[in-house]
Amino acid sequence: GLELLSYIRDRFDSKVIIMTGYDSDETRSDAYRRGAHYYFQKPVDIPELLKQVSLAGIPVNKSWLHP
């Protein structure tokens, strides 16, 4: 995951949101150091995910909150 984050950040002007089931302070710090826009531990809070997606510049459809 962190290797992919580095690959994307080194080659593209993109914001990356990390989602993991194996959280640790070291991994979280490393993700932010490598340029992660935001870091979630699963299970993901969907409203917070959509907020971070929006802050990353991707339009969010509010109907995604209530399917």
Side-chain angles (χ1 to χ4, degrees):
L2 293 177
E3 292 80 20
L4 180 58
L5 168 62
S6 293
Y7 179 89
I8 292 169
R9 294 293 296 146
D10 289 347
R11 288 163 179 78
F12 305 98
D13 183 24
S14 298
K15 294 187 178 167
V16 179
I17 296 174
I18 298 290
M19 289 181 260
T20 183
Y22 305 100
D23 188 31
S24 74
D25 291 338
E26 182 179 337
T27 302
R28 182 181 297 262
S29 295
D30 197 14
Y32 282 120
R33 193 172 24 260
R34 292 179 188 221
H37 171 75
Y38 203 81
Y39 182 99
F40 285 99
Q41 180 180 359
K42 294 176 185 175
V44 174
D45 177 85
I46 298 301
E48 183 63 22
L49 172 61
L50 294 177
K51 174 184 168 187
Q52 293 303 322
V53 167
S54 179
L55 289 172
I58 299 168
V60 172
N61 185 327
K62 300 241 186 242
S63 69
W64 296 346
L65 289 170
H66 309 285

